[in-house]
Amino acid sequence: MINIEEHRSTDVPALPPIERKIVFDSSCEGKRRAKGSGVSYSLRGHQRQFCLPSPSALKPHQDTYSGDLDTWPAHASVTHGSTGTGVHVTKDKHLVVINAKSGMTKCQLTPKPKFLEQLERFLEKELASLGATEVRASEPRLQAYREVFEHLIEDFKTYKPLLSAIKNEYEMVLAQQRDEIRHLQPLQQMLVAVSEESEQKLMAIREHDKQEVKDLKLENRRLYEKIDELNSEQLSLEEQVRKLSEELQANYIIYRDECDARKLLISDINELRFQQEEAMMSKHTTDAVELTKDDPVTLRIALRKLREDEAEATRKLNEMKANYGDVIPRRDYEQLKTQYQTLEEKLEILKDDYLKLKAEHDALLEMHKQVVQQRDDFYVESETLKRSGTPRPSWSRCSEFISGGPDRWKLLSNGKTSDELVEVLLNEIRGIGPSDEAEYFEGLGFGPGVPKYLQYEGKVKNRRLKVRDCNVLMHDIWKERQIQSAEQTTESVSLADFIHRYLQQRFCLPKMAAEWAYNLRDACQKYSNNVDIKFFWAVVCGEGDEQVYYSLIASTAQLLANLVKMDQARGGHQTLSQEDFGAVIADFYLTKSDDDITRLVKAATTEQGIADDAPIRYALLFMEDDEYRSRPFLDELKKQRFQDTAKYVKDIHSKLNDHQFVTVGELKQAIMSTDPETDSARLDATVRWAFGVSDNAPMDAAITRPLGKVLTRLQFGNIRRTGFKP
């Protein structure tokens, strides 16, 4: 293998220049001779001479002066005629070198180039002089290798730019690493100090708790001893119970035997007694028969006596029946007497109640007569008014058509007559309401508490914006806000400050910008019954999170995509049946109830004016006109979103037990108990929004805020229940 290395004399005094020469592989017999300006060589076993090209034949962009041809690696060493070295093959097929000085040695098949040997000798000398011969990371060793590498770069002119660039990159990385180490050294010292401080605190805590741990260990040991004693006592009692059970069993067997013996004894006694009585009765019967057989007069006298006794007993019985037939026992008499007295007391109570009821009945009859008389009078008056006057209209129906809804209509119509209510309706039709009586607004000045978009002194014209104008301006602000958020690279400003910038850019005159700002504020306050306007005003005042708006847009777009997917699965007719429409909504909003789904489907059918069984053209539900007029389906969707948030906040409020102030820890605990499936990231974002803490600021668990303010921010925050209500 032949390598071409470039050697040129350098100015470095430590490394002298290497002589230019050409070295051939030892497998060839290199014979050099000059022929004109060229060089030729011949191979072993061939007589033909091979010529090398002249230097002028090289390409002009290559270095033709600084290159030397050297063997690397070389086989069988370099052939030098003056060294007396020969190469032989031994019997075991090994290649050996015969040197005139040292004798037979093994062949060094890969000798190094001389320039490489010079560099290595220089490196060894430098490392020895610096005392860095041990292989480990150190600055002296790096410096020595750096100098050798610089010599190598200087010698290779052709590759010098590339090698210099490589060296510079390494030097830059090393410098960067040194800077980082220099910056990290104070942190390391701080880490060591903190570690020592922590160790000291830990030792102090251990020392403080050492006595308590010792007492607990003693108490634990005492309790174990007590448990052993109780176990021993239990074993002893079990042994006693076992012995007593055995004794009881033996005694029971003895008792059964005694009982059986007693029963047998009683049976024998009764049998002997019956035998004795039978013997005595048979003996008396025999004696009486013998007496009667011999004395019939005695029998007649006894019969007569018995008849007389029977007659006397019958007489006394009849006499008793005649004397005491109507008499009852004293016990029954006492019982009946007690019942009689109880009934008398109840009768007296009922008489008193009857008298009271009779008096009340008389009073009610009198009152009834008066009410009947008043009814008749009012009926006559009503009939008279019907004949002479017109019917009074139902003014409550106007609340559905007045901007601001029932609340504003109640405020406008409170305590007013029919003529005044007609005047109120005419003012509303002309766009002039009680809040619009003034032709100008008074500027709030430039105080620190005044928002930027309202900072103006002087009178501002009242334009009396309609709902349409307010909606158009509000949606244009949202659109510009989205564009600004997409292009924003730094921290974004609040919506109130963005409105100031928006009005300044759209209306060049400060007076016109202030005029639209004050009219926008008045319209948002007047049309607060509108869901979009109410939320927009909450965000402007800093009480609402504008991410709710972006979340609604994203969820609405995703719902439309799901409806399109279902439509494509059904054939792509641009319509869906009401069942499929409700199924897509139920699959998308997993936490919505069946009533919520039904109301959304009803709003869609009402908006398109179709029957209950007609298909729904779902794409039209998500289209908005230029005036951003209210759409029943989207309004119901937004309304349910805010209602779900309100229910969620109400459940959180019930967990806080009506405290006046609430801490971060208490709010986290209430949220976790209300929605156990929420994750830590969503929990942290919700608590930060409720307490007004930015994402980058630290949040202490002891931060306290008024409960009402926290609940208000949660009501308009981008929060929702993760799982189902427990």
Side-chain angles (χ1 to χ4, degrees), residues 358-396:
K358 186 174 181 303
E360 292 177 359
H361 180 260
D362 294 339
L364 289 174
L365 287 176
E366 184 65 26
M367 187 181 297
H368 179 263
K369 291 180 181 179
Q370 296 176 3
V371 170
V372 170
Q373 183 64 33
Q374 291 178 1
R375 184 201 63 185
D376 295 340
D377 295 341
F378 284 132
Y379 179 76
V380 173
E381 184 178 358
S382 175
E383 292 296 327
T384 303
L385 291 175
K386 285 182 180 180
R387 289 192 301 270
S388 60
T390 57
R392 182 176 177 84
S394 178
W395 296 106
S396 60

Side-chain angles (χ1 to χ4, degrees), residues 147-419:
E147 292 179 2
V148 171
F149 192 57
E150 289 176 354
H151 286 302
L152 184 63
I153 293 174
E154 291 296 331
D155 196 83
F156 283 83
K157 301 299 182 179
T158 302
Y159 301 100
K160 181 177 179 180
L162 176 61
L163 295 175
S164 299
I166 294 173
K167 178 178 176 295
N168 290 335
E169 290 297 327
Y170 277 103
E171 293 293 341
M172 290 171 60
V173 173
L174 287 174
Q176 182 181 2
Q177 295 297 328
R178 289 193 186 97
D179 293 339
E180 291 182 358
I181 292 172
R182 190 181 304 111
H183 291 153
L184 291 176
Q185 283 179 353
L187 296 178
Q188 183 179 7
Q189 297 176 0
M190 184 183 299
L191 180 61
V192 172
V194 172
S195 177
E196 292 177 356
E197 184 179 355
S198 300
E199 290 292 338
Q200 293 176 1
K201 289 183 180 180
L202 182 60
M203 293 299 294
I205 292 173
R206 288 178 178 175
E207 187 66 25
H208 180 266
D209 296 342
K210 184 176 181 180
Q211 184 62 32
E212 184 178 357
V213 172
K214 184 177 180 181
D215 295 339
L216 290 174
K217 287 182 178 179
L218 292 175
E219 180 68 18
N220 189 17
R221 189 179 300 110
R222 187 184 64 80
L223 291 175
Y224 272 116
E225 291 175 356
K226 187 175 180 180
I227 289 172
D228 293 337
E229 292 176 0
L230 293 175
N231 288 334
S232 301
E233 185 178 355
Q234 182 181 1
L235 293 175
S236 177
L237 292 174
E238 289 178 354
E239 184 65 24
Q240 292 179 11
V241 169
R242 186 182 62 79
K243 291 181 179 180
L244 291 175
S245 298
E246 292 177 355
E247 292 178 1
L248 179 61
Q249 185 176 3
N251 291 331
Y252 181 70
I253 294 172
I254 295 172
Y255 165 74
R256 288 183 61 185
D257 295 340
E258 292 293 337
C259 184
D260 294 340
R262 181 175 177 275
K263 290 181 179 179
L264 292 174
L265 181 59
I266 292 173
S267 178
D268 294 341
I269 291 172
N270 291 332
E271 186 176 357
L272 293 173
R273 182 182 299 167
F274 292 152
Q275 291 177 1
Q276 183 181 4
E277 289 179 355
E278 289 179 356
M280 292 179 65
M281 288 179 64
S282 62
K283 184 178 179 182
H284 287 304
T285 304
T286 305
D287 293 341
V289 169
E290 290 178 353
L291 291 174
T292 53
K293 281 182 181 180
D294 295 338
D295 194 1
V297 177
T298 303
L299 293 174
R300 285 196 297 269
I301 294 171
L303 178 59
R304 187 172 59 252
K305 186 64 176 175
L306 291 173
R307 287 177 178 174
E308 291 176 356
D309 293 339
E310 181 189 3
E312 183 65 22
T314 301
R315 185 183 64 77
K316 288 182 178 181
L317 179 60
N318 292 331
E319 185 177 356
M320 290 292 292
K321 287 182 178 181
N323 293 332
Y324 300 99
D326 298 331
V327 178
I328 61 174
R330 186 173 184 84
R331 181 180 63 256
D332 296 341
Y333 170 75
E334 295 293 339
Q335 183 178 0
L336 292 173
K337 184 178 180 181
T338 304
Q339 293 178 358
Y340 172 72
Q341 292 177 354
T342 304
L343 291 174
E344 275 191 341
E345 293 175 357
K346 290 183 179 180
L347 179 61
E348 292 297 330
I349 295 172
L350 291 174
K351 285 182 179 180
D352 295 339
D353 294 341
Y354 170 74
L355 294 176
K356 292 179 182 179
L357 290 174
K358 186 174 181 303
E360 292 177 359
H361 180 260
D362 294 339
L364 289 174
L365 287 176
E366 184 65 26
M367 187 181 297
H368 179 263
K369 291 180 181 179
Q370 296 176 3
V371 170
V372 170
Q373 183 64 33
Q374 291 178 1
R375 184 201 63 185
D376 295 340
D377 295 341
F378 284 132
Y379 179 76
V380 173
E381 184 178 358
S382 175
E383 292 296 327
T384 303
L385 291 175
K386 285 182 180 180
R387 289 192 301 270
S388 60
T390 57
R392 182 176 177 84
S394 178
W395 296 106
S396 60
R397 296 172 55 190
C398 299
S399 62
E400 301 177 1
F401 306 94
I402 294 297
S403 300
D407 295 336
R408 186 165 179 266
W409 173 250
K410 184 178 180 181
L411 181 64
L412 294 176
S413 62
N414 187 21
K416 290 183 173 56
T417 62
S418 298
D419 292 339

Side-chain angles (χ1 to χ4, degrees), residues 599-646:
R599 287 199 299 271
L600 288 172
V601 176
K602 183 66 176 177
T605 56
T606 302
E607 179 178 340
Q608 296 188 355
I610 59 178
D612 294 339
D613 55 349
I616 298 175
R617 293 175 293 173
Y618 60 89
L620 299 178
L621 300 175
F622 298 89
M623 298 176 62
E624 292 183 343
D625 55 11
D626 296 337
E627 297 183 357
Y628 301 100
R629 285 177 293 190
S630 177
R631 306 293 293 270
F633 177 74
L634 292 179
D635 287 349
E636 180 65 25
L637 199 62
K638 297 173 184 177
K639 180 181 178 182
Q640 290 187 11
R641 166 64 187 270
F642 288 111
Q643 286 178 351
D644 294 341
T645 304

Side-chain angles (χ1 to χ4, degrees), residues 533-679:
I533 296 176
K534 182 178 181 180
F535 173 72
F536 174 78
W537 183 243
V539 176
V540 172
C541 295
E543 297 178 353
D545 187 1
E546 62 180 287
Q547 294 299 323
V548 176
Y549 176 77
Y550 303 134
S551 175
L552 285 171
I553 293 177
S555 62
T556 304
Q558 185 61 38
L559 176 60
L560 178 58
N562 290 355
L563 292 172
V564 171
K565 186 176 180 181
M566 174 63 77
D567 179 30
Q568 292 176 354
R570 294 289 188 269
H573 301 294
Q574 301 296 322
T575 59
L576 286 175
S577 64
Q578 297 185 16
E579 291 78 9
D580 293 339
F581 185 77
V584 172
I585 296 176
D587 291 339
F588 186 73
Y589 298 105
L590 298 177
T591 58
K592 286 190 179 297
S593 62
D594 294 339
D595 293 338
D596 295 338
I597 304 300
T598 303
R599 287 199 299 271
L600 288 172
V601 176
K602 183 66 176 177
T605 56
T606 302
E607 179 178 340
Q608 296 188 355
I610 59 178
D612 294 339
D613 55 349
I616 298 175
R617 293 175 293 173
Y618 60 89
L620 299 178
L621 300 175
F622 298 89
M623 298 176 62
E624 292 183 343
D625 55 11
D626 296 337
E627 297 183 357
Y628 301 100
R629 285 177 293 190
S630 177
R631 306 293 293 270
F633 177 74
L634 292 179
D635 287 349
E636 180 65 25
L637 199 62
K638 297 173 184 177
K639 180 181 178 182
Q640 290 187 11
R641 166 64 187 270
F642 288 111
Q643 286 178 351
D644 294 341
T645 304
K647 292 177 182 178
Y648 185 34
V649 174
K650 185 177 180 181
D651 294 339
I652 296 175
H653 186 197
S654 64
K655 301 294 183 181
L656 295 174
N657 298 325
D658 294 332
H659 297 310
Q660 293 183 353
F661 295 90
V662 61
T663 62
V664 172
E666 292 174 346
L667 182 59
K668 284 186 176 180
Q669 185 177 1
I671 294 175
M672 288 298 296
S673 59
T674 303
D675 187 11
E677 297 183 16
T678 186
D679 53 10

